[in-house]
Amino acid sequence: MIRVKEVTVIGADGEQLGTFPTHEALSMAQENDLDLVEVAPHANPPVCRIMDYGKYKYKQSKRAHEAKKNQRVIHVKEVKFRPNTDQHDFNFKIKHAQRFLEAGDKAKIVIFFKGREIVHRENGQRLLERVAETLEDLADIEQASKQEGRTLTMILVPKKKKEVPTKKEDAAEA
């Protein structure tokens, strides 16, 4: 599949072997029962490596799987309010936001204005401030209030957990 006349060859052990005609580099790889793989096609001449391509792909997939296993997916959960939300409904929805934040997800607080409610945007702003004040021990504000059409949004992220020293560490310091 390599269509150039000459290639720079890197051996199976990582040693630079030099520049060879493509057919000669292919025969060198076949002598060792390995593959000639183009690793830098835009170099002049292109750089090829002698390696076991199947083993290389397998190791790459294993590395990708390990990286995926160690990453934490953060979801953005949405809690919707209206500007005239009553106290009981407010508390009920705040509990949902607390649950989302404690699970490690972001909480998007949305205030939706219907009809002429949009004229009193300050009611929605006060509600967002009340939400932020209620959840200040659990969350930090990632994105302050922002108007998008008929909605007012704010995004909260869980606070970073502080390292709590153990009793052994306290005894070692004393």
Side-chain angles (χ1 to χ4, degrees):
M1 300 296 285
I2 301 171
R3 291 176 167 64
V4 291
K5 292 179 185 175
E6 284 189 338
V7 292
T8 302
V9 179
I10 299 174
D13 55 353
E15 177 185 339
Q16 183 119 6
L17 301 178
T19 304
F20 295 96
T22 305
H23 63 86
E24 194 175 317
L26 277 168
S27 64
M28 289 169 57
Q30 288 171 350
E31 284 174 14
N32 297 323
D33 289 328
L34 297 173
D35 303 309
L36 185 67
V37 180
E38 194 173 36
V39 291
H42 299 295
N44 191 14
V47 179
C48 294
R49 185 182 193 117
I50 296 175
M51 68 169 81
D52 184 351
Y53 190 67
K55 188 175 180 181
Y56 170 74
K57 291 295 280 184
Y58 176 76
K59 283 184 179 179
Q60 256 189 341
S61 71
K62 281 293 188 187
R63 244 185 262 124
H65 180 71
E66 281 296 316
K68 189 175 182 180
K69 191 166 71 170
N70 293 334
Q71 82 184 51
R72 167 83 169 94
V73 177
I74 297 176
H75 299 283
V76 179
K77 305 283 186 146
E78 194 170 285
V79 181
K80 286 188 178 181
F81 287 90
R82 295 285 308 282
N84 301 325
T85 301
D86 205 27
Q87 185 62 40
H88 177 265
D89 295 333
F90 176 82
N91 293 339
F92 185 79
K93 291 181 181 207
I94 285 294
K95 284 182 187 173
H96 286 292
Q98 285 175 336
R99 191 177 68 219
F100 298 151
L101 292 165
E102 287 167 356
D105 296 324
K106 293 181 181 182
K108 181 177 182 181
I109 310 300
V110 178
I111 298 177
F112 184 73
F113 297 96
K114 280 188 177 175
R116 292 191 46 82
E117 289 175 340
I118 195 76
V119 175
H120 299 287
R121 185 172 165 250
E122 65 277 356
N123 290 346
Q125 194 66 41
R126 277 197 300 270
L127 186 63
L128 280 181
E129 290 168 6
R130 207 166 109 202
V131 169
E133 187 178 306
T134 306
L135 296 173
E136 70 184 347
D137 57 325
L138 283 176
D140 291 323
I141 298 173
E142 181 183 64
Q143 178 187 4
S145 62
K146 181 172 137 184
Q147 178 97 27
E148 297 172 351
R150 291 196 158 272
T151 61
L152 195 60
T153 59
M154 175 174 67
I155 298 178
L156 302 173
V157 292
K159 280 195 174 181
K160 301 279 187 226
K161 293 180 179 153
K162 294 181 182 175
E163 293 287 325
V164 178
T166 61
K167 291 182 181 179
K168 290 179 184 178
E169 292 173 356
D170 290 340
E173 291 177 8

